[in-house]
């Protein structure tokens, strides 16, 4: 299976390592032709405003948006979650594909980054969650399913073919969340 990882800025290498450790092919997505024949795509953490600008500069914004709208399984981590949100507290949206309202840097600055353990729906155990200048979901609308909360804040959601997390599962040794995403990719084939 070929899983794309948007590789314009941010923490894409860690996602690629996890995909490959599960025996799948990780494809670095840097231009429109890289979007062909994918089973899924990951929008990694990083700086969402910078990633959005690079999506426009590279001409990837609309083709990526169309692929996701047409059912490409998608996983957005932290900045990826912000890119996917239809409503970003006080800002313009980017891809605007998920019926969620996001609060950026909601858990605090870089110095307030933290790790915790929690259960996430569809994963059979408590997993380590890494938060770095993380957003959280202030509001879900429509058919968005809440997958997890930390400190009473929504930190993982799913809407159809799209999942998004405020935390970074790729920064742990635990492959449970990546396995969950791979399973989602196979269910949309």
């Amino acid at each position: 299976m070929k899983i794309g990882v948007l590789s314009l800025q941010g923490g894409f290498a860690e996602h690629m390592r996890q995909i490959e450790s599960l025996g799948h092919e990780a494809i670095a997505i840097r231009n429109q032709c890289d979007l062909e024949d994918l089973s899924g795509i990951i929008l990694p953490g990083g700086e969402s405003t910078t990633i959005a600008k690079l999506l426009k500069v590279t001409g990837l914004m609309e083709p990526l948006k169309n692929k996701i709208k047409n059912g490409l399984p998608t996983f957005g981590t932290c900045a990826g979650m912000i890119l996917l949100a239809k409503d970003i507290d006080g800002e313009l949206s980017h891809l605007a594909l998920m019926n969620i309202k996001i609060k950026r840097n909601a858990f605090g600055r870089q110095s307030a980054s933290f790790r915790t353990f929690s259960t996430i729906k569809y994963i059979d155990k408590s997993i380590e969650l890494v938060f770095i200048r993380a957003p959280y979901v202030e509001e879900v609308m429509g058919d968005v399913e809440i997958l997890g909360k930390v400190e009473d804040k929504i930190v993982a959601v799913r809407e159809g073919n799209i999942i998004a997390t405020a935390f970074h599962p790729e920064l742990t040794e635990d492959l449970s969340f990546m396995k969950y995403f791979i399973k989602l990719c196979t269910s949309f084939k």
Side-chain angles (χ1 to χ4, degrees), residues 12-13 19 27 34 49 65 69 112 144 147 156-158 169:
F12 52 88
I19 292 164
I27 307 295
D34 296 333
T49 306
K65 187 173 184 173
K69 268 187 185 176
V144 174
L147 301 178
V157 290
R158 177 177 174 191

Side-chain angles (χ1 to χ4, degrees), residues 26-90:
I27 307 295
I29 306 299
R30 292 190 174 99
N31 58 58
Q32 190 172 338
C33 66
D34 296 333
L35 291 172
E36 298 307 314
D37 301 319
L38 297 177
S39 298
I41 190 164
I42 296 173
L43 311 181
E47 211 301 301
S48 60
T49 306
T50 300
I51 296 171
K53 286 178 184 174
L54 291 170
L55 283 171
K56 290 176 185 168
V57 167
T58 59
L60 270 168
M61 183 72 82
E62 288 306 312
L64 176 61
K65 187 173 184 173
N66 289 333
K67 287 272 188 187
I68 297 169
K69 268 187 185 176
N70 289 323
L72 180 66
T74 302
F75 171 24
T77 303
C78 198
M81 176 187 255
I82 294 168
L83 291 169
L84 290 164
K86 284 190 177 175
D87 190 351
I88 305 167
D89 188 34

Side-chain angles (χ1 to χ4, degrees), residues 11 13 26 31 34 43 59 67 88 96-97 99 113 115 122 126 132 136 140 145 160 162 165 171 179 181 184 188:
N31 58 58
D34 296 333
L43 311 181
K67 287 272 188 187
I88 305 167
L97 294 167
N99 287 304
S113 299
R115 294 173 181 260
Y122 305 118
S126 180
I132 302 170
Y136 65 71
V140 297
E145 179 181 18
I162 307 170
T165 63
L171 297 180
K179 288 177 183 175
F181 177 61
L184 178 72
F188 274 86

